[in-house]
Amino acid sequence: MMQDETEDAIAELHAMLDRADRIVSFTGAGISTESGVPDFRTAGSPWMVNKPIPFEAFVHSREARIEAWRRKFTMDDHYRDARPNVGHLALARLVADGRSPAIVTQNIDGLHQASGVPGDQVIELHGNGTYATCLDCGWRHELAAIRPAFEETGEPPACLMCTGPVKSATISFGQAMPQEAMMRAQALALECDLFLVVGSSLVVYPAATLPVIAKRQGAKLVILNREPTELDPIADLVIRAESGKALAPLVS
Ligand SMILES: [Zn+2]
């Protein structure tokens, strides 16, 4: 895309945002790479070195739990200092102004909440990597409390309430998608008038279906992503640009 075309597309995006009353943003890794959070699926990223540990293995194997926690804390060191960027702040502004009921995200980094969006207005399809929960009783555990004991003893963390296995609050390979989050995301897609994809390549289910649901019920569909996506042909507007650059006018 030529420079002028990109500028024109960004101007059109803001005209469409101005006309919309009920905007649902859908975000993926691309919005957070601008905050220094690595993309899972980028070749060479620390996420791609090892095969994922399936959920069943985590539940049944102490060794798998130890390996999962070792990897988890290693990865955390890569983006512990990540802060929301202008893209996050722009989407937070839409929520704060009452123009967007919620943000749906594939990200696990908590940066939408860190940008000021109330937790109940961030719908996390893949969970949240900034804390942990007990798989048996659901009790929340803070990573800062778990890590020192893990590094001292090498034992996988167990729940203080029920001794159940404690796992990062993300959705692992082989783990069921969170039902409530999925239902809320679908309901939002059904009632928005503008569905705004930011930094997602739209390949992972349900990412590929939500924009289609929105488009079919008559919403405008905008895809802002550095790379082409399979849904570009049905979008009303496609912008190939950094999300921060394209969204910056919302916060200036
Ligand atoms: Zn428990």
mmCIF file of all heavy atoms in Angstrom, residues 26 55 104-108 123-127 169-186 204-210:
data_model
loop_
_atom_site.group_PDB
_atom_site.id
_atom_site.type_symbol
_atom_site.label_atom_id
_atom_site.label_comp_id
_atom_site.label_asym_id
_atom_site.label_seq_id
_atom_site.Cartn_x
_atom_site.Cartn_y
_atom_site.Cartn_z
ATOM 1 N N PHE A 26 -11.582 -5.453 18.354
ATOM 2 C CA PHE A 26 -11.115 -6.829 18.497
ATOM 3 C C PHE A 26 -9.605 -6.803 18.291
ATOM 4 O O PHE A 26 -9.134 -6.466 17.207
ATOM 5 C CB PHE A 26 -11.799 -7.725 17.460
ATOM 6 C CG PHE A 26 -11.338 -9.150 17.532
ATOM 7 C CD1 PHE A 26 -11.997 -10.064 18.339
ATOM 8 C CD2 PHE A 26 -10.240 -9.586 16.811
ATOM 9 C CE1 PHE A 26 -11.554 -11.381 18.428
ATOM 10 C CE2 PHE A 26 -9.798 -10.899 16.890
ATOM 11 C CZ PHE A 26 -10.464 -11.798 17.694
ATOM 12 N N PHE A 55 -2.962 -28.940 27.676
ATOM 13 C CA PHE A 55 -3.637 -28.804 28.963
ATOM 14 C C PHE A 55 -3.672 -30.138 29.728
ATOM 15 O O PHE A 55 -3.422 -30.188 30.932
ATOM 16 C CB PHE A 55 -5.052 -28.283 28.734
ATOM 17 C CG PHE A 55 -5.821 -28.060 29.998
ATOM 18 C CD1 PHE A 55 -5.428 -27.095 30.899
ATOM 19 C CD2 PHE A 55 -6.942 -28.824 30.289
ATOM 20 C CE1 PHE A 55 -6.135 -26.885 32.079
ATOM 21 C CE2 PHE A 55 -7.647 -28.627 31.459
ATOM 22 C CZ PHE A 55 -7.247 -27.653 32.361
ATOM 23 N N VAL A 104 -12.778 -6.794 22.819
ATOM 24 C CA VAL A 104 -12.561 -8.244 22.783
ATOM 25 C C VAL A 104 -11.109 -8.462 22.386
ATOM 26 O O VAL A 104 -10.632 -7.852 21.429
ATOM 27 C CB VAL A 104 -13.484 -8.922 21.753
ATOM 28 C CG1 VAL A 104 -13.281 -10.430 21.749
ATOM 29 C CG2 VAL A 104 -14.949 -8.571 22.033
ATOM 30 N N THR A 105 -10.384 -9.304 23.126
ATOM 31 C CA THR A 105 -8.965 -9.470 22.811
ATOM 32 C C THR A 105 -8.528 -10.925 22.839
ATOM 33 O O THR A 105 -9.044 -11.739 23.608
ATOM 34 C CB THR A 105 -8.083 -8.627 23.769
ATOM 35 O OG1 THR A 105 -6.727 -8.670 23.294
ATOM 36 C CG2 THR A 105 -8.135 -9.137 25.197
ATOM 37 N N GLN A 106 -7.566 -11.214 21.957
ATOM 38 C CA GLN A 106 -6.877 -12.506 21.967
ATOM 39 C C GLN A 106 -5.641 -12.424 22.855
ATOM 40 O O GLN A 106 -4.965 -13.441 23.048
ATOM 41 C CB GLN A 106 -6.412 -12.859 20.549
ATOM 42 C CG GLN A 106 -7.518 -13.013 19.542
ATOM 43 C CD GLN A 106 -6.952 -13.201 18.144
ATOM 44 O OE1 GLN A 106 -6.502 -12.267 17.504
ATOM 45 N NE2 GLN A 106 -6.971 -14.432 17.667
ATOM 46 N N ASN A 107 -5.310 -11.235 23.322
ATOM 47 C CA ASN A 107 -4.053 -11.056 24.058
ATOM 48 C C ASN A 107 -4.220 -11.442 25.518
ATOM 49 O O ASN A 107 -5.305 -11.349 26.082
ATOM 50 C CB ASN A 107 -3.590 -9.604 23.937
ATOM 51 C CG ASN A 107 -3.291 -9.226 22.493
ATOM 52 O OD1 ASN A 107 -3.026 -10.103 21.673
ATOM 53 N ND2 ASN A 107 -3.345 -7.946 22.190
ATOM 54 N N ILE A 108 -3.111 -11.838 26.111
ATOM 55 C CA ILE A 108 -3.113 -12.297 27.510
ATOM 56 C C ILE A 108 -2.287 -11.365 28.393
ATOM 57 O O ILE A 108 -1.999 -11.687 29.533
ATOM 58 C CB ILE A 108 -2.530 -13.724 27.604
ATOM 59 C CG1 ILE A 108 -1.092 -13.765 27.068
ATOM 60 C CG2 ILE A 108 -3.418 -14.730 26.851
ATOM 61 C CD1 ILE A 108 -0.343 -15.039 27.409
ATOM 62 N N ILE A 123 -12.884 -8.355 27.255
ATOM 63 C CA ILE A 123 -13.294 -9.751 27.099
ATOM 64 C C ILE A 123 -12.110 -10.532 26.567
ATOM 65 O O ILE A 123 -11.679 -10.335 25.425
ATOM 66 C CB ILE A 123 -14.516 -9.853 26.176
ATOM 67 C CG1 ILE A 123 -15.674 -9.110 26.849
ATOM 68 C CG2 ILE A 123 -14.877 -11.308 25.899
ATOM 69 C CD1 ILE A 123 -16.849 -8.875 25.957
ATOM 70 N N GLU A 124 -11.566 -11.395 27.416
ATOM 71 C CA GLU A 124 -10.310 -12.089 27.094
ATOM 72 C C GLU A 124 -10.616 -13.501 26.603
ATOM 73 O O GLU A 124 -10.974 -14.371 27.374
ATOM 74 C CB GLU A 124 -9.421 -12.120 28.338
ATOM 75 C CG GLU A 124 -8.985 -10.734 28.763
ATOM 76 C CD GLU A 124 -8.227 -10.726 30.077
ATOM 77 O OE1 GLU A 124 -8.697 -11.372 31.040
ATOM 78 O OE2 GLU A 124 -7.170 -10.085 30.129
ATOM 79 N N LEU A 125 -10.433 -13.738 25.301
ATOM 80 C CA LEU A 125 -10.760 -15.046 24.725
ATOM 81 C C LEU A 125 -9.704 -16.093 25.055
ATOM 82 O O LEU A 125 -9.996 -17.287 25.031
ATOM 83 C CB LEU A 125 -10.918 -14.924 23.208
ATOM 84 C CG LEU A 125 -12.032 -13.997 22.730
ATOM 85 C CD1 LEU A 125 -12.080 -13.998 21.206
ATOM 86 C CD2 LEU A 125 -13.389 -14.397 23.306
ATOM 87 N N HIS A 126 -8.480 -15.644 25.323
ATOM 88 C CA HIS A 126 -7.404 -16.592 25.613
ATOM 89 C C HIS A 126 -6.908 -16.464 27.048
ATOM 90 O O HIS A 126 -5.812 -16.917 27.366
ATOM 91 C CB HIS A 126 -6.238 -16.399 24.635
ATOM 92 C CG HIS A 126 -6.624 -16.677 23.206
ATOM 93 N ND1 HIS A 126 -5.803 -16.404 22.138
ATOM 94 C CD2 HIS A 126 -7.751 -17.213 22.664
ATOM 95 C CE1 HIS A 126 -6.407 -16.753 20.998
ATOM 96 N NE2 HIS A 126 -7.593 -17.231 21.294
ATOM 97 N N GLY A 127 -7.707 -15.845 27.892
ATOM 98 C CA GLY A 127 -7.322 -15.736 29.297
ATOM 99 C C GLY A 127 -6.363 -14.591 29.563
ATOM 100 O O GLY A 127 -6.234 -13.661 28.756
ATOM 101 N N ALA A 169 -3.462 -18.058 34.214
ATOM 102 C CA ALA A 169 -4.884 -17.925 33.866
ATOM 103 C C ALA A 169 -5.105 -17.771 32.363
ATOM 104 O O ALA A 169 -6.070 -17.161 31.919
ATOM 105 C CB ALA A 169 -5.496 -16.746 34.617
ATOM 106 N N THR A 170 -4.207 -18.339 31.580
ATOM 107 C CA THR A 170 -4.350 -18.333 30.126
ATOM 108 C C THR A 170 -5.051 -19.610 29.676
ATOM 109 O O THR A 170 -5.124 -20.583 30.421
ATOM 110 C CB THR A 170 -2.968 -18.272 29.455
ATOM 111 O OG1 THR A 170 -2.142 -19.304 30.016
ATOM 112 C CG2 THR A 170 -2.305 -16.934 29.718
ATOM 113 N N ILE A 171 -5.559 -19.581 28.446
ATOM 114 C CA ILE A 171 -6.171 -20.776 27.873
ATOM 115 C C ILE A 171 -5.086 -21.540 27.109
ATOM 116 O O ILE A 171 -4.542 -21.038 26.120
ATOM 117 C CB ILE A 171 -7.325 -20.406 26.911
ATOM 118 C CG1 ILE A 171 -8.345 -19.517 27.618
ATOM 119 C CG2 ILE A 171 -7.969 -21.668 26.346
ATOM 120 C CD1 ILE A 171 -8.983 -20.120 28.832
ATOM 121 N N SER A 172 -4.779 -22.746 27.568
ATOM 122 C CA SER A 172 -3.714 -23.528 26.944
ATOM 123 C C SER A 172 -4.229 -24.319 25.758
ATOM 124 O O SER A 172 -5.431 -24.563 25.615
ATOM 125 C CB SER A 172 -3.125 -24.529 27.951
ATOM 126 O OG SER A 172 -2.461 -23.853 28.963
ATOM 127 N N PHE A 173 -3.274 -24.770 24.938
ATOM 128 C CA PHE A 173 -3.583 -25.706 23.855
ATOM 129 C C PHE A 173 -4.339 -26.901 24.436
ATOM 130 O O PHE A 173 -3.894 -27.519 25.407
ATOM 131 C CB PHE A 173 -2.257 -26.152 23.227
ATOM 132 C CG PHE A 173 -2.424 -27.061 22.054
ATOM 133 C CD1 PHE A 173 -2.864 -26.563 20.837
ATOM 134 C CD2 PHE A 173 -2.152 -28.409 22.171
ATOM 135 C CE1 PHE A 173 -3.010 -27.409 19.749
ATOM 136 C CE2 PHE A 173 -2.291 -29.258 21.079
ATOM 137 C CZ PHE A 173 -2.723 -28.753 19.873
ATOM 138 N N GLY A 174 -5.501 -27.193 23.886
ATOM 139 C CA GLY A 174 -6.271 -28.333 24.381
ATOM 140 C C GLY A 174 -7.229 -27.997 25.515
ATOM 141 O O GLY A 174 -7.970 -28.860 25.967
ATOM 142 N N GLN A 175 -7.205 -26.760 25.983
ATOM 143 C CA GLN A 175 -8.099 -26.345 27.079
ATOM 144 C C GLN A 175 -9.344 -25.691 26.471
ATOM 145 O O GLN A 175 -9.257 -24.995 25.453
ATOM 146 C CB GLN A 175 -7.368 -25.346 27.985
ATOM 147 C CG GLN A 175 -8.106 -25.001 29.262
ATOM 148 C CD GLN A 175 -7.253 -24.152 30.204
ATOM 149 O OE1 GLN A 175 -6.140 -23.743 29.852
ATOM 150 N NE2 GLN A 175 -7.765 -23.872 31.381
ATOM 151 N N ALA A 176 -10.493 -25.917 27.094
ATOM 152 C CA ALA A 176 -11.745 -25.357 26.561
ATOM 153 C C ALA A 176 -11.684 -23.835 26.531
ATOM 154 O O ALA A 176 -11.120 -23.204 27.420
ATOM 155 C CB ALA A 176 -12.921 -25.812 27.419
ATOM 156 N N MET A 177 -12.279 -23.248 25.494
ATOM 157 C CA MET A 177 -12.400 -21.795 25.441
ATOM 158 C C MET A 177 -13.328 -21.337 26.564
ATOM 159 O O MET A 177 -14.254 -22.056 26.931
ATOM 160 C CB MET A 177 -13.006 -21.357 24.099
ATOM 161 C CG MET A 177 -12.185 -21.716 22.876
ATOM 162 S SD MET A 177 -10.662 -20.752 22.758
ATOM 163 C CE MET A 177 -11.307 -19.120 22.377
ATOM 164 N N PRO A 178 -13.098 -20.138 27.086
ATOM 165 C CA PRO A 178 -13.973 -19.655 28.151
ATOM 166 C C PRO A 178 -15.382 -19.350 27.618
ATOM 167 O O PRO A 178 -15.550 -18.459 26.792
ATOM 168 C CB PRO A 178 -13.266 -18.397 28.651
ATOM 169 C CG PRO A 178 -12.389 -17.979 27.524
ATOM 170 C CD PRO A 178 -12.038 -19.200 26.723
ATOM 171 N N GLN A 179 -16.358 -20.083 28.081
ATOM 172 C CA GLN A 179 -17.719 -19.994 27.536
ATOM 173 C C GLN A 179 -18.320 -18.598 27.666
ATOM 174 O O GLN A 179 -18.904 -18.076 26.730
ATOM 175 C CB GLN A 179 -18.635 -21.007 28.241
ATOM 176 C CG GLN A 179 -18.561 -22.399 27.644
ATOM 177 C CD GLN A 179 -18.897 -22.404 26.160
ATOM 178 O OE1 GLN A 179 -19.849 -21.760 25.722
ATOM 179 N NE2 GLN A 179 -18.108 -23.099 25.374
ATOM 180 N N GLU A 180 -18.196 -18.031 28.861
ATOM 181 C CA GLU A 180 -18.847 -16.731 29.072
ATOM 182 C C GLU A 180 -18.226 -15.668 28.170
ATOM 183 O O GLU A 180 -18.930 -14.842 27.584
ATOM 184 C CB GLU A 180 -18.748 -16.320 30.549
ATOM 185 C CG GLU A 180 -19.676 -15.156 30.861
ATOM 186 C CD GLU A 180 -19.254 -14.366 32.090
ATOM 187 O OE1 GLU A 180 -18.489 -14.908 32.925
ATOM 188 O OE2 GLU A 180 -19.683 -13.206 32.204
ATOM 189 N N ALA A 181 -16.899 -15.685 28.060
ATOM 190 C CA ALA A 181 -16.219 -14.701 27.210
ATOM 191 C C ALA A 181 -16.645 -14.867 25.758
ATOM 192 O O ALA A 181 -16.901 -13.893 25.041
ATOM 193 C CB ALA A 181 -14.704 -14.847 27.349
ATOM 194 N N MET A 182 -16.734 -16.118 25.315
ATOM 195 C CA MET A 182 -17.156 -16.383 23.940
ATOM 196 C C MET A 182 -18.565 -15.856 23.668
ATOM 197 O O MET A 182 -18.839 -15.230 22.638
ATOM 198 C CB MET A 182 -17.146 -17.890 23.680
ATOM 199 C CG MET A 182 -15.768 -18.474 23.522
ATOM 200 S SD MET A 182 -15.031 -17.903 22.008
ATOM 201 C CE MET A 182 -16.261 -18.475 20.851
ATOM 202 N N MET A 183 -19.461 -16.112 24.625
ATOM 203 C CA MET A 183 -20.845 -15.678 24.428
ATOM 204 C C MET A 183 -20.953 -14.163 24.424
ATOM 205 O O MET A 183 -21.695 -13.581 23.613
ATOM 206 C CB MET A 183 -21.750 -16.296 25.494
ATOM 207 C CG MET A 183 -21.942 -17.790 25.264
ATOM 208 S SD MET A 183 -22.752 -18.621 26.643
ATOM 209 C CE MET A 183 -24.350 -17.822 26.613
ATOM 210 N N ARG A 184 -20.207 -13.521 25.322
ATOM 211 C CA ARG A 184 -20.234 -12.048 25.339
ATOM 212 C C ARG A 184 -19.668 -11.478 24.037
ATOM 213 O O ARG A 184 -20.187 -10.494 23.497
ATOM 214 C CB ARG A 184 -19.440 -11.517 26.526
ATOM 215 C CG ARG A 184 -20.119 -11.728 27.867
ATOM 216 C CD ARG A 184 -19.329 -11.073 28.979
ATOM 217 N NE ARG A 184 -19.344 -9.604 28.882
ATOM 218 C CZ ARG A 184 -18.466 -8.816 29.490
ATOM 219 N NH1 ARG A 184 -17.486 -9.335 30.214
ATOM 220 N NH2 ARG A 184 -18.563 -7.514 29.369
ATOM 221 N N ALA A 185 -18.600 -12.083 23.538
ATOM 222 C CA ALA A 185 -17.982 -11.597 22.298
ATOM 223 C C ALA A 185 -18.956 -11.732 21.129
ATOM 224 O O ALA A 185 -19.081 -10.828 20.292
ATOM 225 C CB ALA A 185 -16.689 -12.366 22.018
ATOM 226 N N GLN A 186 -19.651 -12.854 21.069
ATOM 227 C CA GLN A 186 -20.617 -13.043 19.983
ATOM 228 C C GLN A 186 -21.772 -12.052 20.089
ATOM 229 O O GLN A 186 -22.223 -11.495 19.077
ATOM 230 C CB GLN A 186 -21.143 -14.477 20.002
ATOM 231 C CG GLN A 186 -20.109 -15.462 19.475
ATOM 232 C CD GLN A 186 -20.559 -16.904 19.563
ATOM 233 O OE1 GLN A 186 -21.725 -17.172 19.803
ATOM 234 N NE2 GLN A 186 -19.626 -17.815 19.377
ATOM 235 N N VAL A 204 -6.986 -17.669 14.051
ATOM 236 C CA VAL A 204 -7.338 -18.575 15.133
ATOM 237 C C VAL A 204 -8.837 -18.464 15.424
ATOM 238 O O VAL A 204 -9.358 -17.363 15.572
ATOM 239 C CB VAL A 204 -6.545 -18.234 16.411
ATOM 240 C CG1 VAL A 204 -6.826 -19.264 17.500
ATOM 241 C CG2 VAL A 204 -5.065 -18.164 16.122
ATOM 242 N N TYR A 205 -9.519 -19.620 15.498
ATOM 243 C CA TYR A 205 -10.910 -19.594 15.933
ATOM 244 C C TYR A 205 -10.943 -19.064 17.374
ATOM 245 O O TYR A 205 -10.103 -19.452 18.156
ATOM 246 C CB TYR A 205 -11.501 -21.006 15.899
ATOM 247 C CG TYR A 205 -12.910 -21.063 16.428
ATOM 248 C CD1 TYR A 205 -13.982 -20.770 15.603
ATOM 249 C CD2 TYR A 205 -13.143 -21.382 17.762
ATOM 250 C CE1 TYR A 205 -15.267 -20.793 16.096
ATOM 251 C CE2 TYR A 205 -14.425 -21.405 18.257
ATOM 252 C CZ TYR A 205 -15.486 -21.114 17.420
ATOM 253 O OH TYR A 205 -16.749 -21.118 17.901
ATOM 254 N N PRO A 206 -11.872 -18.195 17.775
ATOM 255 C CA PRO A 206 -13.009 -17.692 16.999
ATOM 256 C C PRO A 206 -12.733 -16.367 16.306
ATOM 257 O O PRO A 206 -13.660 -15.732 15.836
ATOM 258 C CB PRO A 206 -14.047 -17.470 18.084
ATOM 259 C CG PRO A 206 -13.235 -16.981 19.241
ATOM 260 C CD PRO A 206 -11.905 -17.683 19.156
ATOM 261 N N ALA A 207 -11.454 -16.010 16.243
ATOM 262 C CA ALA A 207 -11.137 -14.708 15.650
ATOM 263 C C ALA A 207 -11.669 -14.600 14.237
ATOM 264 O O ALA A 207 -12.109 -13.545 13.793
ATOM 265 C CB ALA A 207 -9.625 -14.507 15.647
ATOM 266 N N ALA A 208 -11.665 -15.712 13.524
ATOM 267 C CA ALA A 208 -12.081 -15.671 12.128
ATOM 268 C C ALA A 208 -13.590 -15.538 11.974
ATOM 269 O O ALA A 208 -14.072 -15.124 10.920
ATOM 270 C CB ALA A 208 -11.594 -16.927 11.414
ATOM 271 N N THR A 209 -14.352 -15.871 13.009
ATOM 272 C CA THR A 209 -15.810 -15.868 12.857
ATOM 273 C C THR A 209 -16.470 -14.584 13.360
ATOM 274 O O THR A 209 -17.491 -14.172 12.812
ATOM 275 C CB THR A 209 -16.449 -17.061 13.601
ATOM 276 O OG1 THR A 209 -16.108 -16.977 14.970
ATOM 277 C CG2 THR A 209 -15.962 -18.369 13.041
ATOM 278 N N LEU A 210 -15.899 -13.953 14.383
ATOM 279 C CA LEU A 210 -16.555 -12.771 14.959
ATOM 280 C C LEU A 210 -16.735 -11.639 13.938
ATOM 281 O O LEU A 210 -17.824 -11.052 13.860
ATOM 282 C CB LEU A 210 -15.805 -12.286 16.192
ATOM 283 C CG LEU A 210 -15.876 -13.239 17.396
ATOM 284 C CD1 LEU A 210 -14.887 -12.814 18.477
ATOM 285 C CD2 LEU A 210 -17.290 -13.295 17.961
#
